[in-house]
Amino acid sequence: MPEVYLDHYAATQVLPEVVDAMQPLLRDGFGNPSSLHGWGDSAREALEAAREKVAALIGANPAEIIFTSCGTEANNTAVKGIAGAAKKKGNHLVISAIEHFSVMHSARTLEKSGFEVATVGVDEYGMVNPEEVRAAIRQDTVLVSIMTANGETGTVQPIEEIAEIAKAKGVPFHTDAVAAAGSIPLDVNDLGVDALSLASDLMYGPKGVGALWVRKGLRMMPLLDGGVQEGGRRGGTENVPGIVGMGTAAELAAEHMDERAAYLSSMRDALIEKLPAAIPHLNLTGHPARRLPWNASFVVEFIEGEGMLLFLNMQGIAVSSGSACTSRALKGSHVLSACGIPAEVARGSLLFSFGLDNKPEDVDYVLEVLPPIVQRLREMSPLYDKFLKSGGDQNSDVQ
Amino acid sequence: MPEVYLDHYAATQVLPEVVDAMQPLLRDGFGNPSSLHGWGDSAREALEAAREKVAALIGANPAEIIFTSCGTEANNTAVKGIAGAAKKKGNHLVISAIEHFSVMHSARTLEKSGFEVATVGVDEYGMVNPEEVRAAIRQDTVLVSIMTANGETGTVQPIEEIAEIAKAKGVPFHTDAVAAAGSIPLDVNDLGVDALSLASDLMYGPKGVGALWVRKGLRMMPLLDGGVQEGGRRGGTENVPGIVGMGTAAELAAEHMDERAAYLSSMRDALIEKLPAAIPHLNLTGHPARRLPWNASFVVEFIEGEGMLLFLNMQGIAVSSGSACTSRALKGSHVLSACGIPAEVARGSLLFSFGLDNKPEDVDYVLEVLPPIVQRLREMSPLYDKFLKSGGDQNSDVQ
Amino acid sequence: MIKIATYSETVMDHFMNPRNVGEIEDADGIGEVGNPVCGDMMTFYVKVDDEDRLNDVKFKTFGCGAAIAVSSMVSEMAKGKTLDEAMQIGRKDVADQLGGLPDNKMHCSNLGADALHKAIEDYRNKKKES
Amino acid sequence: MIKIATYSETVMDHFMNPRNVGEIEDADGIGEVGNPVCGDMMTFYVKVDDEDRLNDVKFKTFGCGAAIAVSSMVSEMAKGKTLDEAMQIGRKDVADQLGGLPDNKMHCSNLGADALHKAIEDYRNKKKES
Ligand SMILES: Cc1ncc(COP(=O)(O)O)c(C=O)c1O
Ligand SMILES: Cc1ncc(COP(=O)(O)O)c(C=O)c1O
């Protein structure tokens, strides 16, 4: 049986070059970068070299990169830290309805300490309208945080335009680039943002590492109080092997970005073209053109995602779903809901996320395996039954 | 030239068994524990197996272990999270003057949001007096946080007694066991504590992983808002390879605790016995008996630690110092200061932290190399000059 | 890479090869339940013989793997039982027969017994009316 | 494992082999500075010849590696200079000659020039008085 991993949005493989780069730091190079001796010194050098590579991926000054333990920590640090430091200036934030929970729930936590949060919506393609951001900004807004691209729908946001608006209004702008970094070209100065989060494990680096870039001069309270690591902006002994892995992953991502994107999007486009032809009542989610090169996301009407995942898994295919039943919290995707997709349709969500290990044949295998699975589940579904009895194919519509 | 690493308090080697245990998770086992397919499943199994091992090290229920990215994160989560969740009950904390900055600065941050912090001192041996903790607890105290053992002085605190007092007063008690875990036997139920922090990189595990144990029923706000990983108490994709490494490190620490302690303390005791005989005006810091098996810490009068570190490094010996000049923040050790050691004496601090790779000969090498270094630096020192001119050896005293 | 530890083997078996899926055209009773929390839906069809025994039970289910397995298990447990016996089948019995359900799925997906009971009540109501 | 990137090679050289350490018993001037922030202390001793030139300079220093290297470098830069020339030696000159100092050490350890100037002033004061 083939093994077809199509869940790179949940986790990417760690590239062999990356694993190799980490090994010396896990073995002889175990020193603490803060130590004043040779062991410490080589660890510090490895750390700073990795910082330069991560900075290079996003066109940033290495001194402005803070390493964190994951994208979630980067987002918590940015949202709570920038808002917290600006408390005297105001207590209003602007985020979007499709932010990752690490941004959204950080904003909720701020609400408990007196902040107000404005949440701008998205259109049917999951796009934020910059004009809505403009309208949401107030005199007392201290932070705008809108993600660079959404991993569930693949939609890439108009970051430059939002940045321009925020800048004109004098409000710092953070963007969560966890799903985008390494996949599409990003330059913090071209984008015009003030802070940007990224993570290692979505770009073929190890888990347990993320980074936050914060433009010099922007005040931010640390989230992790402690020692003076990371310029006093993040306490805790640095995860040197992980950081070095992220550095190598970032370097490779920068070097091979175009060819990777071309390769991934060819498979993505094949699936987007052929799957709706092979399965009726299946629709693309997210933006048809402005999307991450690896993302092909759909909703399949009348059935629930978990069943599809289990059957696909039996056939060696790994994917994910934004369905309520596949989330540990048993909540449907807030992203699909923000795109206006009805709750029962969103339950049939299927997310294929391509990676460097995929082959064009993988698309064919999905096209072979998935239609009978959908058919089988629909035959069990009382919703499909009702749909057929109520006139069938004539009046189906999702979007 | 020999290479003698005596700075295990800054970083321990990662044991070969630990590195080996991590490899599969860095390579094929890259799945996300939250994913609903085989790749996710094996990652989740590895994660839960590691949780059991870490729990076993401290006699805890695995379901009550939260993995973090370092000791600092564990401490920030405990202090801010437990106090934050109890805000309605009161806004008073008790900590000690020798806490790690991750506890102390977390308490400072809480002060900014309206908490009051009582700081209990220590005696000349760096010991907290439980009766002072009792006296410091008020009606509105919502958390006591006193470390299990201090890594700089090696002093092990009377945790059971403090826990009993806190319990009698109905106040949750957190203990930072980062310096102690893996080195001395700890059982959360015997200790009677309610929350305990530990870290991987001080027990021959990888950097980038820590853990926080919180007794069931104790309310705590997450520090990292995000997904529902770690039971909703810590968002962010889990650092599976690191966590697995910590699990193996914890398992090995539990298994070999006694023999390790015997081996390390034999070297520690030899140095503690012989170094003061070889170097005049050098004194032990911390408690003579109740100390961590690997810690031999001293102050050398009339000179500054950094110079000793640099010369020792030239001879292949790695140690650390609590001197102001060796800290990136250029502040002298708050721990030595709390022990009543005068600032200029504390500047000659030297911390030898033994590890499993050390050999008894390493002590001899230090005894051979260090005295001439001290002599050389003293010859340059105007303080030593004054001391000699003012009557010399007759009236020296440190403690 | 195909094991899913979330579910017991019995759950997976019933999910992969559900027993009694379908509709009974001339059912004696139909029971429909929908879970307002996560939106699972189940429809049970029963056929009752002269001795008040369930001689056929079929179902359709929209929901996760557990919901499908629960429906299948309930249908199997119910078949051949008298109506009174079938009314005794409780949620916990079903979960036990399945070798357990994940904690977070106990509430949402374990509606099969309810749907069965509704179908039996539907039959009894119809009988009363006629 | 012996490289310490914190300090330049020149700093390490002056730290490991400091020039002019010691005391001048019959010094013409003595300058003592102590840094209140981090507590470094330096004592400079100067010997002045008939042409107002520093024909000997010695020092003692309590402080970090940089403080010792700074003292050594200052003593070397000063030796043979006239008093007026020596008074021109500034902190930045010393750091430059050392190939730079770490940012966080610029302030604390770079007191050598001050101590030298104090020693020269001490000599000038004494001369005035006599
Ligand atoms: C007692 C204590 N607590 C907390 C920490 C912080 O640990 P980390 O650097 O892993 O965050 C340390 C570090 O040495 C420590 O000794
Ligand atoms: C857009 C976005 N932000 C943040 C995160 C959180 O990243 P992590 O799980 O590494 O903390 C994710 C995770 O997938 C993400 O997609």
Side-chain angles (χ1 to χ4, degrees):
Chain A
M1 190 176 69
E3 288 203 346
V4 176
Y5 184 79
L6 282 165
D7 198 11
H8 295 85
Y9 177 49
T12 52
Q13 287 85 353
V14 190
L15 289 175
E17 298 92 319
V18 171
V19 180
D20 290 349
M22 295 172 69
Q23 298 303 320
L25 287 306
L26 279 172
R27 300 177 195 263
D28 293 340
F30 66 91
N32 186 322
S34 298
S35 296
L36 201 68
H37 47 62
W39 283 267
D41 228 52
S42 19
R44 188 164 50 246
E45 270 177 23
L47 178 65
E48 296 313 322
R51 199 185 304 281
E52 283 176 20
K53 291 174 188 174
V54 171
L57 178 67
I58 57 168
N61 175 350
E64 296 167 18
I65 295 281
I66 302 162
F67 283 111
T68 68
S69 64
C70 54
T72 294
E73 188 193 326
N75 284 337
N76 273 258
T77 306
V79 174
K80 296 175 183 171
I82 297 170
K87 218 168 177 172
K88 277 177 194 146
K89 284 193 207 149
N91 56 7
H92 184 254
L93 309 184
V94 179
I95 65 171
S96 86
I98 55 162
E99 295 304 310
H100 186 261
F101 283 146
S102 50
V103 166
M104 192 167 278
H105 294 169
S106 288
R108 293 288 158 267
T109 293
L110 287 170
E111 277 181 332
K112 285 185 208 147
S113 68
F115 279 86
E116 258 184 88
V117 180
T119 306
V120 300
V122 293
D123 66 15
E124 58 184 312
Y125 302 119
M127 284 273 278
V128 170
N129 179 344
E131 288 311 314
E132 288 188 31
V133 176
R134 188 196 303 278
I137 294 176
R138 308 193 312 206
Q139 206 64 40
D140 59 347
T141 304
V142 293
L143 179 67
V144 172
S145 181
I146 309 277
M147 69 191 345
T148 312
N150 185 287
E152 278 183 68
T153 60
T155 303
V156 179
Q157 302 299 329
I159 294 303
E160 295 90 334
E161 295 169 46
I162 300 170
E164 215 163 278
I165 290 167
K167 189 168 200 172
K169 300 246 186 184
V171 180
F173 178 30
H174 164 255
T175 189
D176 169 5
V178 168
S183 292
I184 58 172
L186 295 176
D187 180 293
V188 293
N189 293 311
D190 292 351
L191 290 173
V193 296
D194 301 299
L196 182 146
S197 303
L198 60 167
S200 156
D201 55 335
L202 293 183
M203 52 185 201
Y204 305 95
K207 293 181 182 56
V209 207
L212 174 63
W213 166 80
V214 184
R215 192 181 291 285
K216 195 172 174 170
L218 179 54
R219 285 196 57 215
M220 186 178 77
M221 282 168 34
L223 182 72
L224 266 60
D225 289 310
V228 292
Q229 292 97 343
E230 300 295 306
R233 289 170 301 176
R234 199 268 188 188
T237 301
E238 302 89 341
N239 176 4
V240 184
I243 288 170
V244 165
M246 182 176 186
T248 304
E251 190 175 38
L252 291 169
E255 200 177 320
H256 300 292
M257 190 164 297
D258 294 347
E259 56 192 278
R260 284 186 187 179
Y263 181 62
L264 296 174
S265 58
S266 71
M267 293 182 285
R268 173 199 70 182
D269 292 343
L271 190 65
I272 288 180
E273 189 201 322
K274 293 177 188 165
L275 203 57
I279 299 176
H281 314 299
L282 170 148
N283 290 279
L284 185 70
T285 60
H287 199 281
R290 285 183 62 102
R291 65 190 300 142
L292 293 168
W294 45 260
N295 177 297
S297 58
F298 305 94
V299 282
V300 187
E301 283 188 86
F302 314 121
I303 57 179
E304 155 66 48
E306 196 197 89
M308 292 190 275
L309 260 54
L310 291 173
F311 277 121
L312 284 169
N313 180 57
M314 291 295 159
Q315 309 272 7
I317 299 176
V319 300
S320 65
S321 166
S323 102
C325 287
T326 62
S327 92
R328 272 198 246 169
L330 297 180
K331 288 208 183 111
S333 159
H334 68 288
V335 175
L336 298 180
S337 159
C339 297
I341 298 174
E344 74 275 15
V345 175
R347 296 196 59 193
S349 135
L350 266 194
L351 167 52
F352 300 85
S353 42
F354 288 90
L356 303 178
D357 53 306
N358 289 126
K359 308 227 159 352
E361 303 88 83
D362 295 346
V363 172
D364 302 327
Y365 186 56
V366 170
L367 290 167
E368 176 196 324
V369 162
L370 185 56
I373 291 175
V374 170
Q375 188 50 31
R376 195 164 167 181
L377 287 165
R378 281 185 176 161
E379 277 163 13
M380 290 188 217
S381 164
L383 290 181
Y384 189 57
D385 206 39
K386 282 195 182 140
F387 164 74
L388 290 180
K389 286 181 181 153
S390 75
D393 271 309
Q394 273 83 320
N395 54 358
S396 146
D397 63 65
V398 178
Q399 298 191 332
Chain B
M1 189 176 67
E3 288 204 345
V4 177
Y5 184 78
L6 282 164
D7 198 11
H8 295 85
Y9 177 49
T12 51
Q13 288 85 352
V14 190
L15 290 175
E17 297 92 319
V18 171
V19 180
D20 289 349
M22 295 171 68
Q23 298 303 320
L25 286 306
L26 278 172
R27 300 176 195 263
D28 293 340
F30 67 90
N32 186 322
S34 299
S35 296
L36 201 69
H37 46 61
W39 283 267
D41 228 52
S42 19
R44 188 164 51 245
E45 270 177 23
L47 178 64
E48 297 312 324
R51 198 185 304 279
E52 284 176 20
K53 292 173 188 174
V54 171
L57 178 68
I58 56 168
N61 175 350
E64 297 168 18
I65 295 281
I66 302 161
F67 283 110
T68 68
S69 63
C70 55
T72 294
E73 188 194 326
N75 283 338
N76 274 258
T77 306
V79 174
K80 296 175 183 169
I82 296 171
K87 218 168 179 173
K88 277 177 194 149
K89 285 193 206 148
N91 56 8
H92 184 255
L93 308 184
V94 178
I95 65 170
S96 86
I98 56 163
E99 296 304 311
H100 185 261
F101 284 146
S102 50
V103 166
M104 191 166 278
H105 294 170
S106 288
R108 295 285 157 270
T109 294
L110 286 170
E111 279 181 332
K112 285 184 207 146
S113 68
F115 279 86
E116 257 184 89
V117 181
T119 305
V120 300
V122 293
D123 67 16
E124 60 184 310
Y125 303 120
M127 284 272 279
V128 171
N129 179 346
E131 289 310 315
E132 287 188 33
V133 177
R134 188 196 304 278
I137 294 176
R138 307 193 313 205
Q139 206 65 41
D140 58 346
T141 305
V142 293
L143 179 68
V144 172
S145 181
I146 309 277
M147 70 190 346
T148 312
N150 185 287
E152 277 183 69
T153 60
T155 303
V156 179
Q157 302 299 328
I159 294 302
E160 295 90 334
E161 297 169 45
I162 300 171
E164 216 164 277
I165 291 167
K167 191 170 198 169
K169 300 245 187 186
V171 180
F173 178 30
H174 165 253
T175 188
D176 169 5
V178 168
S183 293
I184 58 173
L186 295 176
D187 179 294
V188 292
N189 292 311
D190 292 351
L191 290 173
V193 296
D194 301 299
L196 183 146
S197 303
L198 59 168
S200 156
D201 54 335
L202 292 183
M203 52 185 199
Y204 305 95
K207 294 182 181 57
V209 208
L212 173 63
W213 167 80
V214 184
R215 192 181 291 284
K216 196 172 173 170
L218 180 55
R219 284 195 58 214
M220 187 178 77
M221 282 168 35
L223 182 74
L224 266 60
D225 289 311
V228 293
Q229 293 97 344
E230 300 296 305
R233 290 170 300 175
R234 200 267 188 189
T237 300
E238 301 89 340
N239 175 3
V240 184
I243 288 170
V244 165
M246 181 176 187
T248 303
E251 190 176 38
L252 291 169
E255 199 177 318
H256 301 292
M257 190 165 295
D258 294 347
E259 58 191 277
R260 284 187 188 177
Y263 182 62
L264 295 174
S265 59
S266 71
M267 294 182 285
R268 172 199 70 183
D269 291 343
L271 191 66
I272 288 180
E273 189 202 321
K274 294 176 187 165
L275 203 57
I279 300 175
H281 315 300
L282 170 146
N283 290 280
L284 185 70
T285 60
H287 199 282
R290 286 183 59 103
R291 65 191 300 141
L292 292 170
W294 46 259
N295 176 297
S297 58
F298 305 93
V299 282
V300 186
E301 284 188 87
F302 315 121
I303 57 179
E304 153 68 48
E306 195 196 271
M308 292 190 274
L309 260 53
L310 292 173
F311 275 122
L312 284 169
N313 181 57
M314 290 295 159
Q315 309 271 9
I317 299 177
V319 300
S320 66
S321 165
S323 102
C325 287
T326 62
S327 92
R328 272 197 248 169
L330 297 180
K331 289 210 183 111
S333 161
H334 67 288
V335 175
L336 298 179
S337 158
C339 297
I341 297 174
E344 75 275 14
V345 175
R347 295 195 60 191
S349 136
L350 265 195
L351 167 53
F352 299 85
S353 42
F354 288 90
L356 303 179
D357 53 306
N358 290 126
K359 309 226 159 352
E361 303 89 84
D362 295 346
V363 172
D364 302 327
Y365 187 56
V366 170
L367 289 167
E368 175 195 325
V369 162
L370 185 56
I373 291 175
V374 170
Q375 189 50 31
R376 194 165 167 182
L377 287 165
R378 281 184 175 161
E379 276 163 15
M380 290 189 217
S381 165
L383 291 181
Y384 189 58
D385 206 39
K386 282 195 181 141
F387 164 74
L388 290 179
K389 285 180 182 153
S390 73
D393 272 309
Q394 273 84 318
N395 54 358
S396 148
D397 63 64
V398 178
Q399 298 189 332
Chain C
M1 281 291 172
I2 59 163
K3 192 167 43 88
I4 287 291
T6 316
Y7 291 134
S8 73
E9 268 180 44
T10 318
V11 170
M12 282 308 285
D13 175 39
H14 277 267
F15 164 69
M16 301 286 292
N17 311 294
R19 285 57 146 173
N20 310 306
V21 174
E23 197 180 329
I24 301 177
E25 291 285 338
D26 56 342
D28 295 324
I30 301 180
E32 224 181 278
V33 297
N35 183 316
V37 176
C38 61
D40 283 356
M41 284 179 55
M42 293 177 192
T43 310
F44 265 76
Y45 303 87
V46 294
K47 195 91 190 133
V48 185
D49 70 10
D50 301 342
E51 290 160 31
D52 257 15
R53 246 174 228 288
L54 293 167
N55 68 2
D56 203 7
V57 179
K58 286 207 182 310
F59 74 91
K60 291 221 164 180
T61 289
F62 169 84
C64 66
I68 291 170
V70 160
S71 311
S72 164
M73 178 56 85
V74 167
S75 71
E76 216 173 47
M77 288 166 77
K79 244 182 166 174
K81 283 214 166 60
T82 64
L83 296 187
D84 287 346
E85 284 165 357
M87 289 302 283
Q88 301 297 319
I89 299 171
R91 287 190 185 190
K92 198 172 164 314
D93 304 322
V94 181
D96 288 350
Q97 283 292 319
L98 283 168
L101 286 173
D103 276 357
N104 66 348
K105 293 280 165 95
M106 273 307 270
H107 182 66
C108 273
S109 56
N110 199 351
L111 298 168
D114 301 9
L116 172 72
H117 300 164
K118 261 200 160 169
I120 293 173
E121 277 158 24
D122 179 48
Y123 160 75
R124 285 178 168 164
N125 287 340
K126 278 186 193 147
K127 218 174 127 181
K128 242 185 275 172
E129 280 164 24
S130 63
Chain D
M1 281 289 170
I2 59 164
K3 191 167 45 86
I4 288 288
T6 315
Y7 291 134
S8 73
E9 269 180 43
T10 317
V11 170
M12 282 308 285
D13 176 39
H14 276 266
F15 164 69
M16 301 287 290
N17 311 292
R19 287 56 149 172
N20 308 308
V21 175
E23 197 180 329
I24 301 176
E25 291 285 338
D26 56 342
D28 296 324
I30 300 180
E32 223 181 277
V33 297
N35 183 316
V37 176
C38 61
D40 282 355
M41 287 181 52
M42 293 177 192
T43 311
F44 264 76
Y45 304 86
V46 294
K47 196 90 192 133
V48 185
D49 70 10
D50 302 341
E51 289 162 32
D52 258 13
R53 249 175 226 286
L54 293 166
N55 67 4
D56 203 7
V57 180
K58 286 208 183 308
F59 73 91
K60 291 221 165 181
T61 289
F62 169 84
C64 66
I68 291 169
V70 160
S71 310
S72 165
M73 177 56 85
V74 168
S75 72
E76 214 172 48
M77 287 167 76
K79 244 182 165 174
K81 284 213 166 58
T82 64
L83 297 187
D84 287 345
E85 283 165 357
M87 289 301 283
Q88 300 298 319
I89 298 172
R91 288 191 185 191
K92 198 171 164 312
D93 303 323
V94 181
D96 288 350
Q97 284 292 319
L98 283 168
L101 286 172
D103 276 356
N104 66 347
K105 294 280 164 97
M106 274 307 271
H107 181 66
C108 274
S109 55
N110 200 351
L111 298 167
D114 300 9
L116 172 73
H117 300 165
K118 261 198 157 172
I120 294 173
E121 277 158 24
D122 178 50
Y123 159 76
R124 285 180 167 162
N125 286 339
K126 279 185 193 145
K127 219 175 125 179
K128 242 185 273 171
E129 281 162 24
S130 65

